[in-house]
Amino acid sequence: MISRARTSLATAATALALALTAGLAVTGAQASSGGHEKGQEAGRGSSWTAAWASAPQRPSIGFKPNWSEAGFDGQTLRQVVRVTEGGDRARIRLSNAYGSSPLRIESATIARTEKGASVEKGSVRRLTFRGKSAVTVPAYGRLSSDAAGLDLDPFESVTVTLHLSGTTGPATFHAQSFATSYRAQGDHTADTGAAAFGESTESWYYLSGVDVGGPGSGAPKRDGVVLFGDSVTDGFASSTDRDRRWSDALAERLDKAGKPRPVLNAGIGGNMVLNDSAWFGEKGTNRLSRDALGLPGVGTVVVLEGLNDIGFSETDKPTYKPAPVVSARELIDGHRKLIREARAKGVRVVGATLLPLGGSDHYGKHAAAVSDAFNRWVRTSGEYDAYVDFDKALADPEDPERIAPAYDSGDHLHPNDAGYRAMADAVDLETL
């Protein structure tokens, strides 16, 4: 376990911060037509930094078994995430964005992770919502907990446990977590051991963020980096429970370079810039504000998206629908919309070239031509504030249409752990 220096001054400051923020950190948001969340950022008046984030999706079958369509009934859900920023207080953000009925949270805790579903003894903190242990998240809404006094270091794993005492119905979730979540019957929010948690899955449910704060932080920092995109950003084919996505690798590289910044992952496997999907989330041009620009402390967004827009039409897989034939101009226009929206919020926006796709089920003459044209635009147009050339960084020198074998997970579309590290290494840190 990482050592911590806790002084009496820091403890007193934490107590003061908790007193000042109690009751101010919750917001319920009714949805507009189309399912978008509205409302002011929770905890206005206090300084928070997003330390971990996940993009919500509507319930669906997904690639692996999950609990989203069946939902929960009288169960406890335990989820483990790794933060990329530290602080001496924490709060969680919950999303019921795709829930057609209110979501009842009977009790919730946050703790430092020990191993698997077990947590560090003495670290369990009861979470409250406007001072109460139970809360109802409105249909299509979201909310944040109050502040909890919990010291967290960057790159430390934190466990969030929710008791869902009633029947939830289909659950808002994030399909591909590449991390194990656990379930138990009854209320086990205070358990430190793992014995009750006999079921597991590789998805996250309702949990959309963990924020951290500290005393004397003054004006909110805006140094958070959000990686926005599809399955490559999401970390498809990375090692489960080992935090090997390219977002993890980038956060670690920034820290090693003496430039630590929180890095948040807003990828959704299968996501598209231009079209919604029942399996793969709302289109990028619709979800950028909610999943990236609205996170506390964000200053930069890196956009890597478009392979599915151009590649789905190359196959007949039923899950790859809708699959219209998309031109380079249409894809570029979609990215221009993302650029305008980010700049309107005062956020720096960095573009990325699409990875090589030769040999994959997304490859075909049209997709290859559009990918080349799009990548040329990213490199030469100057419309993004800066760019990172993943196409060049991961290409096989012997066949630039393909990912280099050392970086290929095996499907010729997604990197392996080494490929995700190579992506992080390709970023000029000064451009973030």
Side-chain angles (χ1 to χ4, degrees):
M1 182 56 61
I2 300 171
S3 63
R4 297 173 181 81
R6 296 182 175 89
T7 65
S8 59
L9 178 62
T11 301
T14 299
L16 176 60
L18 293 175
L20 292 172
T21 58
L24 297 177
V26 62
T27 180
Q30 296 294 338
S32 64
S33 60
H36 293 292
E37 299 162 282
K38 293 186 176 181
Q40 295 178 333
E41 173 60 39
R44 178 164 290 183
S46 60
S47 178
W48 290 102
T49 297
W52 174 87
S54 178
Q57 296 175 245
R58 69 182 71 255
S60 64
I61 296 171
F63 289 110
K64 292 185 177 182
N66 68 70
W67 305 321
S68 67
E69 291 191 327
F72 302 89
D73 185 4
Q75 294 161 322
T76 296
L77 174 63
R78 178 159 281 186
Q79 304 177 87
V80 180
V81 303
R82 188 175 79 152
V83 297
T84 55
E85 178 80 347
D88 64 8
R89 57 193 170 111
R91 70 175 185 182
I92 66 170
R93 285 179 280 113
L94 300 173
S95 175
N96 193 27
Y98 301 104
S100 59
S101 59
L103 169 68
R104 181 69 174 178
I105 307 291
E106 199 62 37
S107 60
T109 60
I110 188 170
R112 289 189 291 272
T113 306
E114 185 68 39
K115 182 180 180 181
S118 62
V119 300
E120 181 185 314
K121 292 181 180 179
S123 73
V124 178
R125 304 289 187 269
R126 285 284 180 186
L127 290 169
T128 59
F129 305 84
R130 285 185 176 167
K132 298 181 179 180
S133 60
V135 70
T136 298
V137 187
Y140 311 114
R142 62 181 177 181
L143 57 78
S144 298
S145 72
D146 301 328
L150 180 66
D151 288 331
L152 293 173
D153 291 320
F155 308 113
E156 187 164 17
S157 290
V158 61
T159 298
V160 175
T161 309
L162 308 174
H163 180 217
L164 309 165
S165 59
T167 302
T168 66
T172 297
F173 84 136
H174 184 85
Q176 297 175 291
S177 62
F178 309 102
T180 306
S181 297
Y182 307 90
R183 185 167 69 176
Q185 295 296 321
D187 183 359
H188 294 275
T189 51
D191 288 17
T192 57
F197 295 92
E199 298 179 88
S200 64
T201 182
E202 285 187 33
S203 298
W204 289 307
Y205 305 83
Y206 301 120
L207 184 64
S208 62
V210 175
D211 303 333
V212 297
S217 52
K221 293 190 298 182
R222 295 192 63 186
D223 64 347
V225 180
V226 179
L227 309 187
F228 185 84
D230 50 36
S231 56
V232 175
T233 296
D234 209 8
F236 187 89
S238 64
S239 297
T240 299
D241 292 328
R242 297 189 68 184
D243 299 307
R244 297 292 177 85
R245 310 163 193 85
W246 95 266
S247 53
D248 299 301
L250 180 61
E252 291 164 4
R253 183 174 170 228
L254 282 162
D255 184 69
K256 187 176 181 180
K259 302 175 181 180
R261 296 172 67 174
V263 178
L264 299 317
N265 192 313
I268 294 179
N271 199 230
M272 292 174 279
V273 177
L274 302 173
N275 286 283
D276 296 331
S277 168
W279 279 50
F280 307 128
E282 293 184 45
K283 60 187 177 183
T285 53
N286 272 8
R287 70 180 188 89
L288 180 69
S289 179
R290 179 195 68 185
D291 294 346
L293 305 180
L295 301 182
V298 169
T300 302
V301 173
V302 181
V303 179
L304 170 59
E305 192 156 34
L307 277 179
N308 297 316
D309 294 79
I310 65 177
F312 279 1
S313 62
E314 299 286 358
T315 81
D316 293 325
K317 288 187 177 180
T319 54
Y320 289 177
K321 306 295 178 185
V325 176
V326 171
S327 70
R329 178 54 53 196
E330 289 171 319
L331 184 57
I332 289 168
D333 285 345
H335 276 254
R336 283 172 171 154
K337 184 174 181 180
L338 298 175
I339 292 169
R340 290 193 298 270
E341 188 172 358
R343 287 186 176 149
K345 297 289 187 180
V347 173
R348 182 172 176 79
V349 58
V350 177
T353 58
L354 303 178
L355 276 63
L357 69 165
S360 75
D361 63 1
H362 282 42
Y363 186 79
K365 289 184 177 180
H366 178 76
V370 173
S371 179
D372 288 344
F374 174 80
N375 286 349
R376 187 164 52 251
W377 171 78
V378 171
R379 295 180 181 113
T380 63
S381 70
E383 295 190 44
Y384 274 106
D385 292 323
Y387 75 92
V388 54
D389 200 337
F390 292 139
D391 178 48
K392 180 179 179 181
L394 271 70
D396 182 352
E398 302 299 321
D399 184 358
E401 289 284 292
R402 292 174 177 259
I403 294 177
Y407 299 146
D408 191 349
S409 67
D411 65 4
H412 312 302
L413 187 67
H414 300 95
N416 55 20
D417 291 353
Y420 287 124
R421 287 195 301 273
M423 289 176 64
D425 289 342
V427 177
D428 179 353
L429 301 183
E430 298 302 320
T431 66
L432 297 178

